[in-house]
């Protein structure tokens, strides 16, 4: 009762100064589509919240300095050894500060979840064509968010000055060095001199806790402002068209659901942080420029670059008599190409389909077999490359020489994604003519029809690109009997 | 009507339990597992409560919101274009462009402070701390004698007085001199079968930390490049494309290994340089 009175009084106070009642009402009535896949982006958002909360705690204890100190904390095996202040403070945070290890592990786990959520969210946007006009801007913002977050993830685990992340840093440095003409200057700009040097850790600390998080927060703000302005896209379904959004209102149902999601993300992050050890830097040991670790794998989100570096043949060449070293093609050229393709996708897609319409209703994955095939090809390629980042471990497990395993992987990485893409194409084509059927209930004759093995009696003409546009708009009053084809809470 | 309410309340009750558990574990110093599980339990209770609440007690829609077209009516756009005009003043406008251009350029200069401390990259990357007559020492600073390098072991050596440089580490190995097939001109770089190579992989600079003695191969742990010691650490497989640079060795009067000069080429990962 009292809380309600205070809230009312507060609202009135604000309204007398900002005239916010109408605006707030409008905001609270925003309709969110009821499909689980629209919550992937929210998982990323809430992981970011977790990262900021735990990160602020950690930043107050971490000492970003490479100054040599003698470790004297409570972790026995290291006591008395000479390590960097950064490494010593990470160990102290883990063993001598109450809750420190928990927050470190929650921070690391949320970073892994953050990037996974962004990646899966991006796949959803890709496969449903949500990047099409008018949402190209948010696609560009989203890809930038993905890249900034990748960079901040890498920088974050490189701060601790342990032996494992030191290997990663060195590979990163060498990859910068490999850029023709400007490589040495770029590497010096990022690392403040020849690797390892004293400047890289303070520099990365600034980037990790100030510059990049501010950039990410700003981009998230832009991403959501554009989303609110353009309103959500939605899956096709009865009563849904290009002129409306069907779903739950922001207040109260969607807000409660979303608070539930926030709590669930925090519960999972804390559960993992409590139960599953991650990045035990005291096991890796302090960084030393002449020591290496084996096996050494990066965090999952950079596995694909590591896989490229491992699988790409030893190709070095000369341009104008200057050396272009072997990490350049797999470590710089190919990733840049992939990023450019990702940024350009809305326009590439348009080039292929010739579709310049404005879309508010999403494609089903089956509606665009070509795009689906391209996406499946790319995703399976990235997954296989990530898998290749552990080639030494797998080869040892299988007791085969790693050289032979690498040769086999090269073939797999080139061939399997093409097969996956082709299968996806056939399945999408087979489903497209039968809007009611699902992957699990599909009949063999649908596939046979696509492959031309049967006369296409069962094959209806493929759905035209924009069938929903022709459907008459349903006025909001007429649509109380909307049936949701997707998953709905409660029901 | 009563049952969902009770379920939601129970879920929030779990959060109270989680809170008590977290606080108690913190106080008791059980701050790894139990503190985390307390928080996790608290958040899980909140999650279940909110989701149940949304699914049972709150309005279930579906609601329909109309979408206004994301394009301004042409009249509005024309009006904007008409009102949006360059501010008066041709000369000030041009001068402002020039001023901002030069000023922006001046702002780039401090970036150089981020790059250069000491010698420029092309000099720093091309040289290490090795010079003719510098003794080889191990990681504790003890001189490495030829007799310390036994067949099958790998000794990591540093230039005396430069234990902490990132680019000078060398691996020292003893092989059968009769089997050595070094490139021409390096006949005098070894001491009785003792050879030394840069420890930094020519692929991406990782320390080449594994020595497979029977095959006389050096293996890089990062991306599994393999180097053939007998052939001057030539790459055999993996992504490295250049041999590990060889350190010319000789003996000083006391049987201690000394360098006969710096590595003949830059060590570690390659970069844009004349070759
Ligand atoms: S750094 Fe040695 S193989 Fe890549």
């Amino acid at each position: 009762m009292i809380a309600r009175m205070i809230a009312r009084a507060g609202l009135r106070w604000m309204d007398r100064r900002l005239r916010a009642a109408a605006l707030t009402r409008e905001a609270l009535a925003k309709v969110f589509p009821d499909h689980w896949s629209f919550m992937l982006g929210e998982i990323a958002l809430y992981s970011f919240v977790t990262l900021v909360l735990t990160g602020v705690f950690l930043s107050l204890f971490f000492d970003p300095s490479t100054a040599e100190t003698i470790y004297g904390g409570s972790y026995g095996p290291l006591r008395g050894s000479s390590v960097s202040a950064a490494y010593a403070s990470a160990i102290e945070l883990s063993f001598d500060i109450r809750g420190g290890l928990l927050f470190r592990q929650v921070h690391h786990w949320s970073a892994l979840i953050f990037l996974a959520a962004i990646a899966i969210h991006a796949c959803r946007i890709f496969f449903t064509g949500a990047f099409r006009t008018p949402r190209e801007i948010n696609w560009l913002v989203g890809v930038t968010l993905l890249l900034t977050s990748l960079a901040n993830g890498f920088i974050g685990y490189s701060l601790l000055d342990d032996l494992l992340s030191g290997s990663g840093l060195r590979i990163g440095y060498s990859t910068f060095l490999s850029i023709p003409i400007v490589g040495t200057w770029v590497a010096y700009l990022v690392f403040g001199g020849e690797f390892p040097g004293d400047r890289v850790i303070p520099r990365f600390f600034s980037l990790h806790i100030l510059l990049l998080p501010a950039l990410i927060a700003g981009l998230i703000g832009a991403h959501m402002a554009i989303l609110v302005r353009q309103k959500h896209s939605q899956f096709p379904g009865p009563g849904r068209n290009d002129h409306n959004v069907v779903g739950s209102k922001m207040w109260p149902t969607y807000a409660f659901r979303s608070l539930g999601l926030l709590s669930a993300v925090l519960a999972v992050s804390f559960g993992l942080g409590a139960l599953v050890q991650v990045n035990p830097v005291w096991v890796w040991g302090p960084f030393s420029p002449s020591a290496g670790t084996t096996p050494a794998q990066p965090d999952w989100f950079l596995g694909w670059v590591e896989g490229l570096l491992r699988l790409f043949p030893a190709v070095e060449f000369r341009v104008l008599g200057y050396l272009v070293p072997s990490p350049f093609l797999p470590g710089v050229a190919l990733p840049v190409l992939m990023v450019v393709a990702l940024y350009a996708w809305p326009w590439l897609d348009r080039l292929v389909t010739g579709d310049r319409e404005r879309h508010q209703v999403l494609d089903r994955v089956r509606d665009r077999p070509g795009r689906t095939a391209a996406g499946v090809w790319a995703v399976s390629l990235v997954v296989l490359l990530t898998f290749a980042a552990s080639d030494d471990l797998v080869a040892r497990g299988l007791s085969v020489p790693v050289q032979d395993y690498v040769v086999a992987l090269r073939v797999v990485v080139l061939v399997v994604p093409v097969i996956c893409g082709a299968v996806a194409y056939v399945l999408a084509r087979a489903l497209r003519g039968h809007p009611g059927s699902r992957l699990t209930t599909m009949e063999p004759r649908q596939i046979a029809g696509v492959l031309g093995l049967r006369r296409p009696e069962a094959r209806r003409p493929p759905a035209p690109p924009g069938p929903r546009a022709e459907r008459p708009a349903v006025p909001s009053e007429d649509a109380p009997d909307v049936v949701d084809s997707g998953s709905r809470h409660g029901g | 009507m009563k049952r969902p309410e009770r379920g939601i309340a129970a879920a929030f009750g779990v959060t109270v339990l989680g809170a008590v558990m977290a606080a108690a574990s913190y106080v008791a110093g059980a701050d790894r597992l139990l503190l985390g599980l307390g928080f996790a339990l608290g958040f899980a209770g909140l999650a279940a409560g909110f989701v149940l609440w949304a699914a049972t007690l709150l309005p279930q829609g579906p609601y329909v919101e109309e979408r206004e077209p994301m394009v301004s009516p042409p009249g509005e756009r024309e009006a904007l274009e008409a009102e949006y005009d360059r501010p008066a003043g041709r000369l000030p406008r041009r001068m402002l462009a020039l001023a901002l251009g030069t000023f922006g350029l001046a702002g780039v200069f401090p970036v150089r402070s981020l790059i250069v401390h000491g010698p420029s990259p092309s000099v720093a990357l091309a040289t290490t701390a090795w010079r003719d007559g510098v003794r080889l020492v191990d990681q504790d600073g003890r001189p490495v004698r030829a007799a310390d390098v036994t067949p099958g072991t790998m000794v990591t050596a540093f230039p005396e007085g430069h234990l902490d440089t990132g680019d000078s580490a060398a691996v020292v190995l003893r092989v059968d001199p009769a089997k050595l097939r070094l490139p021409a001109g390096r006949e005098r770089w070894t001491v009785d079968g003792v050879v030394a190579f840069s420890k930094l992989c020519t692929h991406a600079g990782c320390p080449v930390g594994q020595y497979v003695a029977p095959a006389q191969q050096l293996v890089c742990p990062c991306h599994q490049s393999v180097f053939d010691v007998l052939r001057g650490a030539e790459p055999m497989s993996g992504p490295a494309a250049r041999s590990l640079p060889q350190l010319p060795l000789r003996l000083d009067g006391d049987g201690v290994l000394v360098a006969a000069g710096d590595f003949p080429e830059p060590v570690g990962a390659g970069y844009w340089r004349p070759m």
Side-chain angles (χ1 to χ4, degrees):
Chain A
M1 235 334 130
I2 296 175
R4 192 166 178 175
M5 270 163 58
I6 294 175
R8 289 246 160 115
L11 268 177
R12 240 172 270 146
W13 192 89
M14 289 297 256
D15 192 48
R16 274 201 298 273
R17 282 150 187 87
L18 298 170
R19 196 175 173 231
L23 256 175
T24 315
R25 263 191 74 204
E26 201 181 311
L28 292 180
K30 174 176 166 50
V31 167
F32 289 75
D34 293 318
H35 191 273
W36 61 268
S37 70
F38 284 73
M39 302 195 117
L40 292 166
E42 274 177 56
I43 296 180
L45 174 68
Y46 295 145
S47 309
F48 184 66
V49 172
T50 317
L51 282 167
V52 172
L53 291 177
T54 48
V56 168
F57 181 89
L58 299 177
S59 72
L60 300 176
F61 297 97
F62 179 67
D63 180 4
S65 149
T66 47
E68 287 286 303
T69 53
I70 303 295
Y71 176 75
S74 62
Y75 181 63
L78 269 177
R79 208 171 297 143
S81 50
S82 156
V83 299
S84 72
Y87 184 74
S89 70
I91 301 291
E92 194 187 317
L93 197 47
S94 307
F95 287 97
D96 296 309
I97 287 160
R98 223 171 255 202
L101 180 63
L102 176 67
F103 281 116
R104 253 199 66 216
Q105 300 204 135
V106 173
H107 192 73
H108 201 122
W109 275 116
S110 346
L112 300 178
I113 297 173
F114 180 52
L115 280 149
I118 295 179
I120 299 171
H121 173 65
C123 288
R124 202 280 284 167
I125 301 298
F126 180 92
F127 284 108
T128 61
F131 53 80
R132 293 171 301 170
T133 317
R135 295 190 172 74
E136 304 97 323
I137 317 175
N138 247 0
W139 173 263
L140 299 181
V141 174
V143 174
T144 314
L145 263 170
L146 170 67
L147 299 176
T148 333
S149 309
L150 276 180
N152 215 21
F154 174 71
I155 289 176
Y157 73 70
S158 298
L159 283 176
L160 306 187
D161 206 23
D162 58 290
L163 192 51
L164 180 60
S165 74
S167 299
L169 262 187
R170 186 196 291 275
I171 295 167
Y173 167 80
S174 304
T175 307
F176 281 126
L177 269 190
S178 75
I179 304 170
I181 305 173
V182 293
T184 52
W185 296 99
V186 174
Y188 267 47
L189 178 64
V190 176
F191 286 76
E194 197 173 354
F195 183 86
D198 312 327
R199 290 194 167 75
V200 60
I201 287 197
R203 195 166 282 191
F204 274 23
F205 187 63
S206 247
L207 283 173
H208 183 70
I209 72 159
L210 179 69
L211 221 59
L212 290 174
L215 190 61
I216 291 173
L219 287 168
I220 290 178
H223 205 61
M224 287 172 34
I226 294 168
L227 165 83
V228 169
R229 179 75 188 137
Q230 296 185 329
K231 297 197 164 77
H232 277 80
S233 56
Q234 60 187 344
F235 277 105
R240 302 181 195 172
N241 59 46
D242 275 326
H243 308 286
N244 66 8
V245 195
V246 177
S248 302
K249 281 189 182 173
M250 171 84 169
W251 186 263
T253 313
Y254 198 82
F256 274 59
R257 210 183 277 164
S258 194
L259 281 171
L261 186 62
L262 166 64
S263 312
V265 167
L266 281 158
V268 170
S269 306
F270 272 88
L272 285 169
L275 292 169
V276 190
Q277 186 180 66
V278 63
N279 200 18
V281 282
W282 56 92
V283 176
W284 312 147
F287 175 71
S288 144
S290 59
T293 46
T294 177
Q297 270 70 35
D299 271 2
W300 78 266
F301 49 85
L302 282 173
W304 59 281
V305 190
E306 175 77 3
L308 275 172
L309 283 172
R310 287 180 185 225
L311 293 191
F312 208 82
V315 179
E316 289 194 343
F317 51 94
R318 271 140 205 76
V319 173
L320 309 171
Y322 282 78
L323 172 70
V324 178
S326 47
F328 175 68
L329 290 177
V332 181
L334 287 180
V336 165
L337 205 70
M338 286 160 83
V339 167
V340 169
L342 206 55
Y343 269 116
W345 185 262
W347 292 273
L348 294 177
D349 192 88
R350 182 190 294 188
L351 211 65
V352 174
T353 59
D355 175 5
R356 304 177 156 272
E357 295 294 312
R358 309 167 64 76
H359 295 278
Q360 308 293 354
V361 176
L362 298 171
D363 286 331
R364 294 179 78 182
V365 180
R366 66 186 64 174
D367 290 346
R368 290 285 182 194
R371 180 201 294 147
T372 301
V376 167
W377 173 80
V379 170
S380 46
L381 178 64
V382 169
V383 168
L384 285 171
L385 286 174
T386 307
F387 180 69
S390 308
D391 60 358
D392 49 340
L393 294 177
V394 178
R396 198 188 304 160
L398 298 175
S399 317
V400 293
V402 73
Q403 289 80 356
D404 300 348
Y405 182 61
V406 164
V407 173
L409 271 181
R410 282 177 186 156
V411 176
V412 166
V413 157
L414 290 176
V415 172
V416 172
V418 174
I419 297 175
C420 292
V423 169
Y425 183 82
V426 169
L427 292 178
R429 285 278 304 262
L431 286 167
R432 184 168 66 170
H434 307 262
S437 67
R438 295 171 156 269
L439 208 52
T440 43
T441 63
M442 199 168 52
E443 288 165 40
R445 72 183 160 81
Q446 285 173 244
I447 297 176
V450 173
L451 298 176
L453 301 177
R454 280 171 64 112
R455 291 295 92 215
E457 20 73 56
R459 223 172 113 196
R460 277 176 247 156
R468 270 89 48 183
E470 292 142 30
R471 217 176 285 150
V474 183
S476 53
E477 293 82 12
D478 296 1
D481 55 348
V482 168
V483 181
D484 199 321
S485 63
S487 72
R488 261 276 295 288
H489 300 255
Chain B
M1 201 57 201
K2 275 280 168 265
R3 273 199 55 202
E5 286 197 15
R6 252 184 260 135
I8 299 164
F12 291 144
V14 170
T15 300
V16 176
L17 278 182
V20 172
M21 179 173 162
S25 349
Y26 184 88
V27 173
D31 60 312
R32 306 223 177 125
L33 185 61
L34 292 181
L35 178 68
L37 287 181
F39 278 129
L41 197 65
F43 285 124
L46 284 179
F50 279 126
V51 168
L52 268 177
W53 201 337
T56 54
L57 298 182
L58 301 180
Q60 289 304 306
Y63 296 95
V64 178
E65 189 181 9
E66 291 304 306
R67 196 191 282 283
E68 66 213 58
M70 265 303 107
V71 186
S72 309
E76 221 163 275
R77 214 165 35 217
E78 279 156 23
L80 173 71
E81 277 159 18
E83 283 159 23
Y84 163 78
D85 202 4
R86 287 183 301 187
R90 194 175 130 99
L91 184 60
R93 264 204 326 265
R94 298 222 161 154
M95 212 50 208
L96 178 64
L98 181 67
L100 293 181
T102 49
F103 207 45
L105 227 54
V108 175
F109 277 73
V111 172
R112 197 186 144 85
S113 305
L114 294 175
I115 302 181
V116 182
H117 300 276
S120 85
S122 53
V123 176
L125 293 172
T127 55
T128 70
W130 292 108
R131 299 284 175 276
D132 183 27
V134 172
R135 298 207 290 181
L136 276 68
V137 297
D138 66 11
Q139 55 184 357
D140 301 316
R142 283 186 300 259
V144 178
R145 299 172 175 280
D148 298 338
V149 186
T150 50
T153 61
M154 181 180 88
V155 176
T156 299
F158 301 87
E160 188 167 34
H162 298 276
L163 280 178
D164 53 356
T165 51
D167 58 1
S168 300
V171 291
V172 191
L173 307 160
R174 181 183 288 278
V175 294
D176 181 354
K179 291 191 184 145
L180 262 180
R181 295 285 175 275
L182 295 175
R186 299 194 195 166
E187 294 79 12
R188 301 166 54 86
W189 288 20
T190 62
V191 173
D192 196 17
V194 176
V195 284
F197 297 99
S198 162
K199 198 177 183 181
L200 301 189
C201 184
T202 52
H203 176 230
C206 284
V208 179
Q210 291 161 287
Y211 179 43
V212 184
Q216 276 143 337
Q217 292 169 346
L218 284 163
V219 181
C220 177
C222 280
H223 315 104
Q224 289 78 48
S225 285
V226 179
F227 300 91
D228 184 352
V229 172
L230 295 178
R231 300 190 149 270
E234 196 181 67
M236 301 171 68
S237 70
R242 274 167 294 119
S243 304
L244 299 172
Q246 187 177 352
L247 185 71
L249 294 179
R250 59 186 178 82
L251 278 184
D252 77 355
D254 312 328
V256 173
L257 290 166
V258 298
D262 199 352
F263 293 107
E265 64 247 39
V267 299
Y271 57 94
W272 183 257
R273 60 179 159 90
M275 265 190 77

